[in-house]
Amino acid sequence: MTAKTRLFVDQPLAEGNCVSVSQAQAHYLFGVMRLAVGGAVSLFNGKDGEWRCEILEAGKRKGVLRCTVQTKPLQMPPDLWLCFAPIKKTRTDFIVEKATEMGASKICPVQTEFTNSERIKQERLQAHAVEAAEQCGGTYVPEVIALSKLSTMLDHWPEERQIMFCDETELGVASSLASASRGPWAILIGPEGGFSPAERKRLHSMPEAHVVSLGPRILRADTAAVAAMTIWQAALGDWV
Ligand code: SAH
């Protein structure tokens, strides 16, 4: 059974393996959660599933746990990238957190012509993905890749990967995902300023792109990301 407390560790997990936790994790487990030697914690590393572990050492700055039994196998999400133009800090954090919970396999911040921010804190965003996986019971953590230009990304686009292109200007002509095929996909969400005419033209001409409307109201990018992932998961993902 999964223990109440779940943590991500970057170490191999297998029966009998001893795992040491970081200083921050030791503080959380033994200081905040008041767990002690003999107690149980669930660990996952994104590769080996989830393991119930017994606490062997509970120090102020250090802790050692031993894997006893696997409580979940590795559950991979569908092959779905979430590509989005970063917005304000807390809203970008929100997108990463929700993408992890909703089951994205990779999180790709893209710089579009009208993108508000030119930099992202990749490590900080990755930490949000880890935290979201810890909280939602996931055994996989999507990688948050470095910010790349949309134009460069499209230059090297893998032709087998279909794109759910969320275009708020295309009301009424939006195609349905119901007739689309499964396989590798990417969702593309624009910045507050939307896509530039050139970007829209390019995307509309790509055979991989399926233009999708998210309804008659203009959603904020963070809302759009969650709405798009919901629709995709329900039509083509692991909800069906
Ligand atoms: N430029 C727009 C707002 C962009 S909203 C304006 O100010 O008028 C940010 C992104 O969310 C868009 O680029 C699009 O990818 C997505 N989005 C928001 N509402 C949408 C809708 N109704 N249909 C499809 N995509 C939408």
Side-chain angles (χ1 to χ4, degrees):
M1 202 180 69
T2 305
K4 268 198 186 139
T5 309
R6 296 181 89 238
L7 287 180
F8 174 87
V9 290
D10 194 10
Q11 290 166 64
L13 302 174
E15 198 181 329
N17 276 21
C18 285
V19 176
S20 47
V21 294
S22 70
Q23 193 171 325
Q25 288 174 328
H27 171 74
Y28 172 72
L29 292 176
F30 316 129
V32 180
M33 300 306 289
R34 302 265 161 210
L35 291 165
V37 170
V41 178
S42 284
L43 298 182
F44 68 103
N45 60 5
K47 300 180 193 101
D48 301 322
E50 178 194 88
W51 285 79
R52 191 177 169 90
C53 301
E54 185 193 351
I55 301 171
L56 298 184
E57 263 183 69
K60 270 213 154 99
R61 298 200 172 81
K62 172 175 183 255
V64 179
L65 290 86
R66 186 174 50 213
C67 299
T68 51
V69 64
Q70 193 189 46
T71 43
K72 274 185 198 170
L74 174 65
Q75 291 156 334
M76 291 293 291
D79 186 357
L80 174 67
W81 298 354
L82 177 67
C83 306
F84 72 98
I87 39 177
K88 283 193 204 98
K89 206 172 78 175
T90 51
R91 290 183 183 273
T92 302
D93 292 349
F94 176 92
I95 291 178
V96 170
E97 183 182 295
K98 299 308 158 205
T100 307
E101 289 174 30
M102 303 283 293
S105 62
K106 198 154 130 178
I107 299 173
C108 315
V110 291
Q111 197 178 342
T112 64
E113 282 184 48
F114 301 154
T115 296
N116 325 53
S117 84
E118 307 212 326
R119 245 177 281 145
I120 55 155
K121 295 224 164 77
Q122 197 181 346
E123 254 178 54
R124 174 197 154 99
L125 293 179
Q126 188 66 65
H128 275 285
V130 166
E131 224 175 87
E134 287 175 341
Q135 176 270 326
C136 76
T139 49
Y140 173 85
V141 182
E143 183 190 359
V144 181
I145 65 167
L147 184 67
S148 59
K149 278 200 165 156
L150 177 64
S151 55
T152 315
M153 196 170 187
L154 295 181
D155 287 344
H156 302 106
W157 194 261
E159 59 179 30
E160 71 283 1
R161 186 170 296 275
Q162 305 183 71
I163 304 173
M164 175 177 172
F165 170 37
C166 299
D167 186 350
E168 74 280 8
T169 66
E170 282 298 317
L171 257 190
V173 300
S175 71
S176 153
L177 290 185
S179 55
S181 58
R182 288 172 180 260
W185 273 84
I187 290 174
L188 179 60
I189 304 286
E192 274 167 31
F195 292 100
S196 74
E199 286 168 339
R200 293 186 56 247
K201 193 167 166 217
R202 178 167 188 186
L203 281 155
H204 277 266
S205 75
M206 287 177 71
E208 298 89 341
H210 301 250
V211 182
V212 170
S213 161
L214 301 172
R217 288 160 295 271
I218 293 183
L219 309 177
R220 298 186 81 128
D222 47 347
T223 316
V226 177
M229 292 201 64
T230 308
I231 294 175
W232 189 90
Q233 279 285 35
L236 297 162
D238 61 12
W239 295 10
V240 282

